[in-house]
Amino acid sequence: MTINSAKVRGAYIHIPFCDHICYYCDFNKVFMKNQPVDDYLDALAQEMNHYAESGPPQTIYIGGGTPTALNERQFERLFQAVRKYLFHPALKEFTVEANPENLNEAKLEIMKRYGVTRLSIGVQTFDDRLLKTIGRAHQSDDAERAVRLAQRHGFDNITVDLMFALPGQTESSLHDSMERALRLGTPHISIYSLQLEPKTIFYNRMKSGSLRLPGEDIEADMFGQIILELGRHGLHHYEISNFAKPGFEGIHNSLYWRNEEYYGIGAGAHGYVNGIRYANAGPIKKYIDSVRKNGHSRRSEHAVTFEEKMEEEMFLGLRLMKGVSTDRFNDRFGCPIETVYGDAIERLKKKGLLAEHDGRLAMTQKGIFLGNDVFEAFLIS
C-alpha cells in the first residue's frame, strides 16, 4: 500500500457486540447472542475496502462494544480484513480495546501476529463492590491478571481505563484503585468521570431518584487527587482525562483533539472525511444491508462550515494541556486567532482560566476544572 502523507487520517472500527451491558454505557452495542456476527464482519471488510480507496490511515483503533467478545475465529477474521485493507508498515499506532474477562492468550497472540501495538484495557475500578454497582462482568483480580498476561505477551504500551465519581465511590476507594493501577506499571492511564447519558440504566435510575452520586465538590476533589497522584508517579497530564509517560501519549485519540480526519467504520460509527462529518446506521441489520448495497453505511452527513471548523479547532484543541497553536490556527484559517476570538480569550485570561505561552493558548490549572465554561466561550453560533 502506497503511503500518502499529505492527509493525516485515522481509522476507527466499531465492534458493537457485548456479552453484557454496563449500566453507564451509551455506545452503540447489542447483546452478542443470536447476532449475525459473521455477516457483520463481512460488512466491515467491505466498508474498510471502501475507505481504503481514499488513502491509508496513520492510526487504527478498534473499539466497541467489546472487540474481545468475539471468539478466536471471529477475532482473527477481523484482523485479516484489517491487514488486507488498512494495515501498512508505516502505521504509527494500532490500538484495540479489551475487557479483562475475555482477554486470553489466543487473542493476545492473534493481535501480536497482526501488528497491534497498543491495548486499552477497560478496568474502570479495582473496587469489587463498585464493579458490581456499575454492572461490570469482571473482578479486580481479573483485571490485574489481564494486564499481566498482556505484558507477558510483549505488550508494553498498555492503557488502563479507570472511572471516577461513581455511585458510592469515596476518595479512599479512588486512591486504592489508582495505587493498584500504578503498581501494574503501565505507561498510560485514562480516567474519566461518570457521565449520565440518556437510554442508560444509570440515567433511568437518576431520573427515578434511586442513584446516589458524589456531589460536584467531591468530584472536583477527586479530579485534583488524580492529577496530583498520577503526576507524582511520572505520568504527565497531556489531555483532560489522559496521563502518560513521555512517548506513550495516545496517537489515535490525539488526531481527534487536533481536529484531524478519520474514517468511522462499523455500525453507529462516526467519521470525518474531506470536511464532512458522518454517522453510520446503528442497527446491525440496517448497517449490513446498507454496506452490501453502497459499500458504506452513512445515514447522515454534515459538511462542516468554516466557522464550525474554527470552533472545533478551539474546543477540541484546548482539551490538550499544551493547548492550541496560534501559528497553526493562522495557517489553517488564514487569519490571526485574535481576529476571531480576541474578546473570548481576553475574558478567559482575566478569569484565570486561559494562559498564553510560547505561541500556544492553553487552559490553566483552574481552567481545567472549569473546562466546559472555557469550551463554550469559543462557540460562535
Side-chain angles (χ1 to χ4, degrees):
M1 183 181 284
T2 303
I3 307 303
N4 175 13
S5 59
K7 202 70 171 178
V8 177
R9 283 200 184 121
Y12 172 79
I13 302 167
H14 189 70
I15 306 300
F17 307 115
C18 293
D19 292 323
H20 67 283
I21 304 298
C22 300
Y23 300 160
Y24 55 84
C25 181
D26 74 326
F27 295 123
N28 189 49
K29 76 281 181 187
V30 293
F31 284 111
M32 186 149 186
K33 189 176 181 181
N34 299 323
Q35 292 293 331
V37 178
D38 288 320
D39 289 344
Y40 183 80
L41 293 174
D42 288 340
L44 273 185
Q46 190 175 346
E47 195 181 13
M48 288 181 209
N49 184 35
H50 173 81
Y51 287 110
E53 296 172 359
S54 299
Q58 295 189 5
T59 62
I60 297 171
Y61 190 108
I62 301 179
T66 312
T68 48
L70 299 172
N71 65 35
E72 285 79 6
R73 178 188 62 81
Q74 295 161 343
F75 204 60
E76 183 146 21
R77 279 195 61 202
L78 169 64
F79 286 97
Q80 287 170 343
V82 171
R83 172 169 286 180
K84 183 175 182 180
Y85 297 114
L86 298 177
F87 186 86
H88 55 85
L91 198 70
K92 293 182 177 180
E93 183 184 80
F94 187 176
T95 304
V96 178
E97 289 181 357
N99 273 4
E101 69 272 17
N102 46 38
L103 184 63
N104 59 31
E105 294 205 17
K107 291 172 187 175
L108 286 163
E109 288 168 1
I110 289 169
M111 288 189 283
K112 264 296 176 186
R113 193 165 4 111
Y114 285 90
V116 173
T117 60
R118 181 172 177 266
L119 296 180
S120 180
I121 300 180
V123 176
Q124 316 315 352
T125 176
F126 283 94
D127 185 322
D128 286 332
R129 179 186 60 83
L130 284 177
L131 286 169
K132 186 176 181 179
T133 297
I134 64 177
R136 298 292 287 177
H138 69 272
Q139 294 189 318
S140 59
D141 288 347
D142 300 325
E144 188 166 331
R145 279 193 295 270
V147 173
R148 295 295 188 200
L149 183 64
Q151 290 170 330
R152 288 199 296 272
H153 277 75
F155 287 97
D156 58 357
N157 192 354
I158 297 173
T159 293
V160 168
D161 286 334
L162 298 174
M163 297 178 71
F164 71 101
L166 298 171
Q169 188 177 36
T170 64
E171 291 182 62
S172 176
S173 170
L174 173 63
H175 172 79
D176 292 344
S177 282
M178 285 194 293
E179 283 294 302
R180 286 192 68 175
L182 288 163
R183 284 200 297 269
L184 291 170
T186 64
H188 192 289
I189 291 177
S190 298
I191 184 159
Y192 300 90
S193 64
L194 174 67
Q195 302 297 311
L196 296 177
E197 303 291 351
K199 300 181 181 179
T200 63
I201 293 172
F202 272 175
Y203 184 83
N204 293 335
R205 289 183 181 175
M206 182 270 292
K207 295 290 283 185
S208 69
S210 62
L211 187 69
R212 298 177 67 93
L213 296 171
E216 290 184 2
D217 290 344
I218 294 176
E219 182 176 344
D221 289 344
M222 287 180 170
F223 190 38
Q225 176 187 351
I226 289 163
I227 294 170
L228 186 65
E229 191 70 17
L230 297 184
R232 187 182 295 138
H233 286 81
L235 296 172
H236 77 99
H237 190 193
Y238 74 95
E239 191 272 341
I240 286 181
S241 302
N242 287 273
F243 301 77
K245 293 179 180 177
F248 288 91
E249 300 85 355
I251 300 173
H252 177 85
N253 284 350
S254 292
L255 293 181
Y256 302 151
W257 303 319
R258 294 178 62 243
N259 204 18
E260 305 288 1
E261 296 192 348
Y262 54 95
Y263 306 123
I265 298 169
H270 291 245
Y272 181 33
V273 177
N274 296 328
I276 295 175
R277 292 197 180 274
Y278 66 87
N280 280 355
I284 305 301
K285 186 178 186 305
K286 186 174 289 188
Y287 166 78
I288 292 170
D289 290 344
S290 179
V291 173
R292 284 173 174 170
K293 180 180 179 180
N294 304 309
H296 62 83
S297 185
R298 297 189 185 187
R299 65 168 172 79
S300 66
E301 295 183 339
H302 171 69
V304 182
T305 67
F306 187 77
E307 289 77 14
E308 288 170 338
K309 288 178 181 178
M310 289 192 290
E311 290 177 359
E312 292 172 352
E313 186 79 9
M314 298 305 295
F315 68 71
L316 291 172
L318 286 171
R319 290 189 63 89
L320 294 165
M321 296 303 100
K322 66 181 181 181
V324 174
S325 165
T326 55
D327 286 342
R328 173 185 160 98
F329 188 97
N330 196 350
D331 291 342
R332 276 198 159 187
F333 303 110
C335 61
I337 198 168
E338 293 81 6
T339 302
V340 185
Y341 293 116
D343 290 344
I345 290 169
E346 285 306 310
R347 188 166 63 251
L348 292 170
K349 283 181 177 178
K350 287 178 180 178
K351 290 182 178 179
L353 304 180
L354 202 66
E356 186 170 359
H357 300 286
D358 302 322
R360 305 190 74 91
L361 283 166
M363 288 193 292
T364 63
Q365 195 74 7
K366 179 182 176 182
I368 293 168
F369 285 84
L370 297 170
N372 288 336
D373 293 341
V374 176
F375 304 149
E376 287 174 7
F378 294 98
L379 297 178
I380 297 172
S381 54

PDB file of all heavy atoms in Angstrom, residues 37-53:
ATOM      1  N   VAL A  37     -22.950 -12.221  13.524  1.00  0.00           N
ATOM      2  CA  VAL A  37     -21.580 -11.710  13.676  1.00  0.00           C
ATOM      3  C   VAL A  37     -20.773 -11.882  12.398  1.00  0.00           C
ATOM      4  O   VAL A  37     -20.058 -10.970  11.965  1.00  0.00           O
ATOM      5  CB  VAL A  37     -20.877 -12.391  14.863  1.00  0.00           C
ATOM      6  CG1 VAL A  37     -19.442 -11.889  14.990  1.00  0.00           C
ATOM      7  CG2 VAL A  37     -21.636 -12.144  16.158  1.00  0.00           C
ATOM      8  N   ASP A  38     -20.878 -13.039  11.754  1.00  0.00           N
ATOM      9  CA  ASP A  38     -20.088 -13.271  10.543  1.00  0.00           C
ATOM     10  C   ASP A  38     -20.514 -12.336   9.412  1.00  0.00           C
ATOM     11  O   ASP A  38     -19.667 -11.818   8.670  1.00  0.00           O
ATOM     12  CB  ASP A  38     -20.200 -14.735  10.107  1.00  0.00           C
ATOM     13  CG  ASP A  38     -19.440 -15.664  11.047  1.00  0.00           C
ATOM     14  OD1 ASP A  38     -18.336 -15.285  11.480  1.00  0.00           O
ATOM     15  OD2 ASP A  38     -19.942 -16.755  11.356  1.00  0.00           O
ATOM     16  N   ASP A  39     -21.807 -12.108   9.266  1.00  0.00           N
ATOM     17  CA  ASP A  39     -22.278 -11.150   8.260  1.00  0.00           C
ATOM     18  C   ASP A  39     -21.772  -9.746   8.582  1.00  0.00           C
ATOM     19  O   ASP A  39     -21.435  -8.973   7.672  1.00  0.00           O
ATOM     20  CB  ASP A  39     -23.805 -11.144   8.212  1.00  0.00           C
ATOM     21  CG  ASP A  39     -24.382 -12.409   7.604  1.00  0.00           C
ATOM     22  OD1 ASP A  39     -23.625 -13.159   6.941  1.00  0.00           O
ATOM     23  OD2 ASP A  39     -25.590 -12.663   7.799  1.00  0.00           O
ATOM     24  N   TYR A  40     -21.728  -9.423   9.860  1.00  0.00           N
ATOM     25  CA  TYR A  40     -21.227  -8.110  10.265  1.00  0.00           C
ATOM     26  C   TYR A  40     -19.748  -7.961   9.904  1.00  0.00           C
ATOM     27  O   TYR A  40     -19.326  -6.923   9.379  1.00  0.00           O
ATOM     28  CB  TYR A  40     -21.418  -7.903  11.765  1.00  0.00           C
ATOM     29  CG  TYR A  40     -20.988  -6.539  12.245  1.00  0.00           C
ATOM     30  CD1 TYR A  40     -21.816  -5.434  12.082  1.00  0.00           C
ATOM     31  CD2 TYR A  40     -19.742  -6.334  12.829  1.00  0.00           C
ATOM     32  CE1 TYR A  40     -21.427  -4.164  12.497  1.00  0.00           C
ATOM     33  CE2 TYR A  40     -19.336  -5.079  13.253  1.00  0.00           C
ATOM     34  CZ  TYR A  40     -20.187  -4.001  13.084  1.00  0.00           C
ATOM     35  OH  TYR A  40     -19.782  -2.741  13.490  1.00  0.00           O
ATOM     36  N   LEU A  41     -18.965  -9.006  10.143  1.00  0.00           N
ATOM     37  CA  LEU A  41     -17.539  -8.945   9.805  1.00  0.00           C
ATOM     38  C   LEU A  41     -17.340  -8.815   8.305  1.00  0.00           C
ATOM     39  O   LEU A  41     -16.421  -8.116   7.846  1.00  0.00           O
ATOM     40  CB  LEU A  41     -16.824 -10.178  10.354  1.00  0.00           C
ATOM     41  CG  LEU A  41     -16.757 -10.281  11.885  1.00  0.00           C
ATOM     42  CD1 LEU A  41     -16.156 -11.610  12.304  1.00  0.00           C
ATOM     43  CD2 LEU A  41     -15.964  -9.123  12.493  1.00  0.00           C
ATOM     44  N   ASP A  42     -18.185  -9.472   7.518  1.00  0.00           N
ATOM     45  CA  ASP A  42     -18.128  -9.312   6.057  1.00  0.00           C
ATOM     46  C   ASP A  42     -18.392  -7.856   5.670  1.00  0.00           C
ATOM     47  O   ASP A  42     -17.705  -7.295   4.809  1.00  0.00           O
ATOM     48  CB  ASP A  42     -19.170 -10.210   5.379  1.00  0.00           C
ATOM     49  CG  ASP A  42     -18.802 -11.687   5.429  1.00  0.00           C
ATOM     50  OD1 ASP A  42     -17.611 -11.996   5.634  1.00  0.00           O
ATOM     51  OD2 ASP A  42     -19.712 -12.523   5.273  1.00  0.00           O
ATOM     52  N   ALA A  43     -19.407  -7.245   6.303  1.00  0.00           N
ATOM     53  CA  ALA A  43     -19.734  -5.852   6.006  1.00  0.00           C
ATOM     54  C   ALA A  43     -18.600  -4.915   6.415  1.00  0.00           C
ATOM     55  O   ALA A  43     -18.279  -3.956   5.698  1.00  0.00           O
ATOM     56  CB  ALA A  43     -21.038  -5.465   6.700  1.00  0.00           C
ATOM     57  N   LEU A  44     -17.997  -5.176   7.566  1.00  0.00           N
ATOM     58  CA  LEU A  44     -16.857  -4.371   7.996  1.00  0.00           C
ATOM     59  C   LEU A  44     -15.743  -4.400   6.958  1.00  0.00           C
ATOM     60  O   LEU A  44     -15.169  -3.360   6.610  1.00  0.00           O
ATOM     61  CB  LEU A  44     -16.299  -4.895   9.325  1.00  0.00           C
ATOM     62  CG  LEU A  44     -16.884  -4.412  10.641  1.00  0.00           C
ATOM     63  CD1 LEU A  44     -16.074  -4.980  11.797  1.00  0.00           C
ATOM     64  CD2 LEU A  44     -16.931  -2.897  10.738  1.00  0.00           C
ATOM     65  N   ALA A  45     -15.447  -5.596   6.452  1.00  0.00           N
ATOM     66  CA  ALA A  45     -14.379  -5.735   5.452  1.00  0.00           C
ATOM     67  C   ALA A  45     -14.727  -4.943   4.200  1.00  0.00           C
ATOM     68  O   ALA A  45     -13.864  -4.259   3.611  1.00  0.00           O
ATOM     69  CB  ALA A  45     -14.171  -7.204   5.115  1.00  0.00           C
ATOM     70  N   GLN A  46     -15.980  -5.003   3.781  1.00  0.00           N
ATOM     71  CA  GLN A  46     -16.402  -4.260   2.600  1.00  0.00           C
ATOM     72  C   GLN A  46     -16.282  -2.759   2.819  1.00  0.00           C
ATOM     73  O   GLN A  46     -15.853  -2.007   1.929  1.00  0.00           O
ATOM     74  CB  GLN A  46     -17.842  -4.635   2.230  1.00  0.00           C
ATOM     75  CG  GLN A  46     -18.292  -4.088   0.879  1.00  0.00           C
ATOM     76  CD  GLN A  46     -19.681  -4.566   0.486  1.00  0.00           C
ATOM     77  OE1 GLN A  46     -20.220  -5.508   1.075  1.00  0.00           O
ATOM     78  NE2 GLN A  46     -20.264  -3.927  -0.520  1.00  0.00           N
ATOM     79  N   GLU A  47     -16.651  -2.294   4.022  1.00  0.00           N
ATOM     80  CA  GLU A  47     -16.544  -0.858   4.307  1.00  0.00           C
ATOM     81  C   GLU A  47     -15.082  -0.435   4.431  1.00  0.00           C
ATOM     82  O   GLU A  47     -14.711   0.665   3.996  1.00  0.00           O
ATOM     83  CB  GLU A  47     -17.321  -0.507   5.575  1.00  0.00           C
ATOM     84  CG  GLU A  47     -17.544   0.987   5.708  1.00  0.00           C
ATOM     85  CD  GLU A  47     -18.289   1.386   6.970  1.00  0.00           C
ATOM     86  OE1 GLU A  47     -18.444   0.554   7.887  1.00  0.00           O
ATOM     87  OE2 GLU A  47     -18.703   2.553   7.057  1.00  0.00           O
ATOM     88  N   MET A  48     -14.247  -1.275   5.018  1.00  0.00           N
ATOM     89  CA  MET A  48     -12.810  -0.970   5.057  1.00  0.00           C
ATOM     90  C   MET A  48     -12.272  -0.765   3.650  1.00  0.00           C
ATOM     91  O   MET A  48     -11.513   0.176   3.375  1.00  0.00           O
ATOM     92  CB  MET A  48     -12.051  -2.109   5.730  1.00  0.00           C
ATOM     93  CG  MET A  48     -12.235  -2.236   7.218  1.00  0.00           C
ATOM     94  SD  MET A  48     -11.229  -3.620   7.842  1.00  0.00           S
ATOM     95  CE  MET A  48     -12.205  -4.137   9.257  1.00  0.00           C
ATOM     96  N   ASN A  49     -12.657  -1.647   2.731  1.00  0.00           N
ATOM     97  CA  ASN A  49     -12.209  -1.548   1.341  1.00  0.00           C
ATOM     98  C   ASN A  49     -12.672  -0.238   0.720  1.00  0.00           C
ATOM     99  O   ASN A  49     -11.924   0.414  -0.017  1.00  0.00           O
ATOM    100  CB  ASN A  49     -12.756  -2.739   0.554  1.00  0.00           C
ATOM    101  CG  ASN A  49     -12.245  -2.766  -0.875  1.00  0.00           C
ATOM    102  OD1 ASN A  49     -11.109  -2.394  -1.154  1.00  0.00           O
ATOM    103  ND2 ASN A  49     -13.083  -3.194  -1.800  1.00  0.00           N
ATOM    104  N   HIS A  50     -13.895   0.164   1.045  1.00  0.00           N
ATOM    105  CA  HIS A  50     -14.432   1.416   0.509  1.00  0.00           C
ATOM    106  C   HIS A  50     -13.560   2.604   0.907  1.00  0.00           C
ATOM    107  O   HIS A  50     -13.225   3.461   0.065  1.00  0.00           O
ATOM    108  CB  HIS A  50     -15.863   1.607   1.026  1.00  0.00           C
ATOM    109  CG  HIS A  50     -16.461   2.931   0.689  1.00  0.00           C
ATOM    110  ND1 HIS A  50     -17.011   3.213  -0.536  1.00  0.00           N
ATOM    111  CD2 HIS A  50     -16.581   4.080   1.425  1.00  0.00           C
ATOM    112  CE1 HIS A  50     -17.458   4.466  -0.547  1.00  0.00           C
ATOM    113  NE2 HIS A  50     -17.211   5.007   0.627  1.00  0.00           N
ATOM    114  N   TYR A  51     -13.168   2.677   2.173  1.00  0.00           N
ATOM    115  CA  TYR A  51     -12.395   3.819   2.630  1.00  0.00           C
ATOM    116  C   TYR A  51     -10.913   3.698   2.288  1.00  0.00           C
ATOM    117  O   TYR A  51     -10.216   4.715   2.175  1.00  0.00           O
ATOM    118  CB  TYR A  51     -12.607   4.043   4.124  1.00  0.00           C
ATOM    119  CG  TYR A  51     -13.976   4.613   4.408  1.00  0.00           C
ATOM    120  CD1 TYR A  51     -14.961   3.870   5.043  1.00  0.00           C
ATOM    121  CD2 TYR A  51     -14.297   5.906   3.992  1.00  0.00           C
ATOM    122  CE1 TYR A  51     -16.228   4.392   5.272  1.00  0.00           C
ATOM    123  CE2 TYR A  51     -15.560   6.439   4.211  1.00  0.00           C
ATOM    124  CZ  TYR A  51     -16.524   5.672   4.848  1.00  0.00           C
ATOM    125  OH  TYR A  51     -17.774   6.191   5.048  1.00  0.00           O
ATOM    126  N   ALA A  52     -10.435   2.475   2.105  1.00  0.00           N
ATOM    127  CA  ALA A  52      -9.029   2.297   1.740  1.00  0.00           C
ATOM    128  C   ALA A  52      -8.712   2.982   0.417  1.00  0.00           C
ATOM    129  O   ALA A  52      -7.584   3.424   0.180  1.00  0.00           O
ATOM    130  CB  ALA A  52      -8.698   0.806   1.653  1.00  0.00           C
ATOM    131  N   GLU A  53      -9.722   3.108  -0.438  1.00  0.00           N
ATOM    132  CA  GLU A  53      -9.512   3.765  -1.727  1.00  0.00           C
ATOM    133  C   GLU A  53      -9.198   5.250  -1.566  1.00  0.00           C
ATOM    134  O   GLU A  53      -8.650   5.878  -2.476  1.00  0.00           O
ATOM    135  CB  GLU A  53     -10.759   3.582  -2.601  1.00  0.00           C
ATOM    136  CG  GLU A  53     -11.050   2.120  -2.956  1.00  0.00           C
ATOM    137  CD  GLU A  53     -12.389   1.944  -3.666  1.00  0.00           C
ATOM    138  OE1 GLU A  53     -13.085   2.965  -3.863  1.00  0.00           O
ATOM    139  OE2 GLU A  53     -12.717   0.794  -4.014  1.00  0.00           O
TER     140      GLU A  53
END
